[in-house]
Amino acid sequence: MRSTGIVRRIDELGRVVIPKEIRRTMRIKEGEELEVFTTEDALVLKKFSAVKEMVDFNVDYVKSIYLSTGLTAIITDKEKILAVAGDFKQYKVGAHYTVKGERLLEERRIKSLNGIEVTSLFGEDVSEVGGMVLSPIVVNGDVMGAVIVVSKRMLNELSVKTAETASCFLAKRL
């Protein structure tokens, strides 16, 4: 941990305001959940990701999608890639969404992109990508992440259903 030099008072209701600069730097948005930890002399706030908590399951799930369909499969939370399996090596665990990727995710609907529509979601090279589907994981109206399938060929309805089924399944587990 490093010191920011910022000191805040607790109000009468026990609230502390996290400075805007820190929220922006840490990409903390209004309504986002934070997990609270304590040590002997510290209070620690950590961004909470329910999707990330299922990390072992996510890894097995993307491997299963890849082995059964041949499609590169990716599971993300609202910020970054949590699990990936497939032929496209440019998708790396920990890669953050670009602003355009975040906007697509916030639309809360399945997005199928083929040919020239394919866009970089994580700053990756998409020159060899023929098609991708982004299917948001939505729980109680909130986007928690996404399932993304990627192929060298243009994707069909089965690819869309694969991503949609996976995102719906994960939403039920959260």
Side-chain angles (χ1 to χ4, degrees), residues 1-4 6 8-11 14-18 22 34-47:
M1 270 191 297
R2 59 187 165 91
S3 175
T4 62
I6 299 170
R8 294 290 179 163
R9 292 196 188 281
I10 296 174
D11 72 9
R15 297 176 296 200
V16 177
V17 175
I18 300 170
I22 292 174
L34 299 175
E35 196 168 5
V36 180
F37 295 92
T38 60
T39 65
E40 224 173 88
D41 62 346
L43 176 69
V44 179
L45 300 176
K46 180 181 171 196
K47 291 175 76 170

Side-chain angles (χ1 to χ4, degrees), residues 30-96:
E30 183 180 330
E32 193 160 349
E33 294 178 323
L34 299 175
E35 196 168 5
V36 180
F37 295 92
T38 60
T39 65
E40 224 173 88
D41 62 346
L43 176 69
V44 179
L45 300 176
K46 180 181 171 196
K47 291 175 76 170
F48 180 74
S49 169
V51 180
K52 188 176 181 180
E53 295 297 313
M54 302 180 355
V55 78
D56 292 337
F57 180 82
N58 292 338
V59 169
D60 290 342
Y61 201 47
V62 292
K63 285 180 184 176
S64 296
I65 292 171
Y66 174 63
L67 291 173
S68 64
T69 66
L71 299 168
T72 294
I74 302 165
I75 294 176
T76 73
D77 62 10
K78 292 186 284 187
E79 294 183 355
K80 62 184 177 277
I81 295 176
L82 301 176
V84 62
D87 297 329
F88 288 98
K89 301 304 176 202
Q90 65 265 43
Y91 295 101
K92 307 261 189 240
V93 170
H96 285 266

